[in-house]
Amino acid sequence: MITETSLRLRELRQSIESVIRGKAEAVQLAVVSLLAGGHLLVEDVPGVGKTTLAQTIARCLDCSFQRIQITSDLLPSDIVGVSVYNQSNGDFEFKPGPIFANVILADEINRTTPKTQSSLLEAMAEGHVTVENRTYALPRPFLVLATQNPIEHYGTYPLPESQLDRFMMRVRIGYPSSLEEKEILRQQARKHPIDSVKPLMTAEDVIELQEEVRNVRFDEALLDYLMDIVTATRESEMLELGVSPRGSLSLYRAAQSLAFTEDRDYCITDDIKRLVVPVFGHRVVISSRYANRLRKAEHADSILEDILKNVKVPI
């Protein structure tokens, strides 16, 4: 049965897909991450629409939005904020940084130093920031959309696995087909389609949907299946580091969210199968004996796909 919620989510996806042509899977995974309350890492080669995807999602939400263009000289205070001395009252006043918004676009996150990366990633994990022994809560919902180019090395600081673990999912967009690219060229002949995107949801709407996602049923046999996959990553000789408990919780929440976006109040095995690579792919560490055969990301994905084939599916 088509409900008001499913119609609203369909409209949201269609609005994003009107800008990000031919990438329905990437768009749906981005919406799944939003409703699951997780953060999203968009990783791909330059020019395929990573930043545009993040900007379009932000425009679809009638929420506060900040774009942080990450550079090598960015300081933690440039993100979090700083205390400034007020001469009129003789006291220091905290001036919030761009992190105090509902939707944050951290563009090219791997271009800044680990210290600055940590200031952003700690906010993602805790939902608040601490400046000079005072804690400041961040607004809800709070979503970080970070982009990075995996092929760049000069002047970059790749995120370590412990920090990659803060992202619920990693999404790749990929090149469009020839027909899709021709449509993109026609579409942008006069203006960019993102200029036509209108807000479809308020902050309260997003919070309400996130709470509804938590009510999606997850059968005990399905939970055992999820844990069998997690255990297999920890026992695989091809992986030095398997999935963390945060990773297994991310898959659990993402599966609930995916079922919700498909108008179901229960999860199925296909939800887990579909999400294993985007949720686990950036969390596992490949054994040094196998790391040189393929690019790291490609190899991690193929290992996870092999694990899926070997784990028994519940009937």
Side-chain angles (χ1 to χ4, degrees):
M1 182 178 68
I2 298 177
T3 64
E4 181 182 349
T5 298
S6 62
L7 288 174
R8 182 190 295 182
L9 292 176
R10 182 183 301 175
E11 186 179 6
L12 174 63
R13 291 199 301 270
Q14 289 174 345
S15 181
I16 301 172
E17 289 173 23
S18 70
V19 180
I20 309 298
R21 290 284 181 172
K23 300 299 176 183
E25 179 71 6
V27 169
Q28 182 165 19
L29 291 178
V31 173
V32 165
S33 184
L34 168 69
L35 298 184
H39 306 289
L40 184 68
L41 178 64
V42 188
E43 181 184 80
D44 218 316
V45 296
V48 295
K50 300 186 301 297
T51 302
T52 304
L53 173 63
Q55 288 177 320
T56 306
I57 292 172
R59 287 208 177 196
C60 288
L61 306 179
D62 190 15
C63 300
S64 57
F65 169 69
Q66 288 285 353
R67 173 177 177 173
I68 306 173
Q69 183 60 55
I70 306 296
T71 58
S72 58
D73 59 350
L74 198 71
L75 299 175
S77 57
D78 295 328
I79 293 177
V80 175
V82 65
S83 293
V84 178
Y85 183 70
N86 188 329
Q87 290 184 339
S88 62
N89 59 19
D91 201 0
F92 283 91
E93 293 181 356
F94 177 65
K95 301 295 182 183
I99 196 70
F100 287 86
N102 295 115
V103 182
I104 306 294
L105 168 56
D107 214 357
E108 298 184 313
I109 192 173
N110 55 332
R111 284 195 171 278
T112 194
T113 60
K115 185 175 182 179
T116 304
Q117 288 173 352
S118 296
S119 67
L120 175 63
L121 296 169
E122 286 175 10
M124 291 165 54
E126 305 296 334
H128 62 255
V129 297
T130 302
V131 180
E132 297 179 357
N133 298 322
R134 291 193 62 182
T135 299
Y136 301 89
L138 295 171
R140 291 186 62 210
F142 180 63
L143 171 67
V144 173
L145 299 160
T147 72
Q148 70 172 358
N149 299 327
I151 65 170
E152 293 184 306
H153 301 289
Y154 180 75
T156 63
Y157 304 85
L159 294 173
E161 282 73 13
S162 60
Q163 294 184 346
L164 284 171
D165 200 36
R166 308 291 174 90
F167 290 94
M168 173 170 280
M169 276 194 279
R170 179 189 63 194
V171 173
R172 299 191 187 96
I173 297 176
Y175 291 115
S177 67
S178 296
L179 291 176
E180 291 163 352
E181 193 160 356
K182 283 174 65 177
E183 181 60 28
I184 290 171
L185 297 178
R186 293 193 192 98
Q187 191 181 40
Q188 297 190 26
R190 295 189 177 183
K191 67 175 184 177
H192 200 290
I194 197 172
D195 296 333
S196 303
V197 174
K198 304 296 182 184
L200 299 173
M201 292 186 186
T202 65
E204 291 74 19
D205 292 333
V206 175
I207 292 172
E208 181 181 339
L209 291 175
Q210 288 176 342
E211 291 174 351
E212 288 185 38
V213 165
R214 300 293 179 98
N215 295 324
V216 173
R217 299 196 309 274
F218 209 102
D219 189 75
E220 189 69 22
L222 200 59
L223 188 58
D224 291 337
Y225 177 59
L226 186 155
M227 288 310 307
D228 287 343
I229 297 171
V230 171
T231 302
T233 68
R234 296 170 184 172
E235 296 177 350
S236 172
E237 65 174 12
M238 302 183 75
L239 299 175
E240 289 184 0
L241 182 66
V243 174
S244 69
R246 183 190 284 132
S248 57
L249 180 59
S250 292
L251 181 56
Y252 181 90
R253 297 294 187 208
Q256 287 182 304
S257 183
L258 178 58
F260 187 79
T261 62
E262 297 191 343
D263 204 28
R264 283 185 277 108
D265 62 355
Y266 58 91
C267 292
I268 59 177
T269 54
D270 284 347
D271 295 331
I272 293 178
K273 288 180 178 180
R274 186 172 167 188
L275 291 167
V276 162
V277 170
V279 175
F280 287 172
H282 59 292
R283 289 182 157 92
V284 296
V285 176
I286 303 168
S287 171
S288 57
R289 290 177 295 174
Y290 302 94
N292 295 326
R293 297 184 184 178
L294 289 171
R295 285 181 55 220
K296 179 180 177 182
E298 293 173 346
H299 202 166
D301 291 357
S302 64
I303 292 172
L304 289 170
E305 287 167 358
D306 287 341
I307 287 174
L308 270 178
K309 293 175 183 176
N310 294 321
V311 173
K312 185 178 180 181
V313 179
I315 299 174

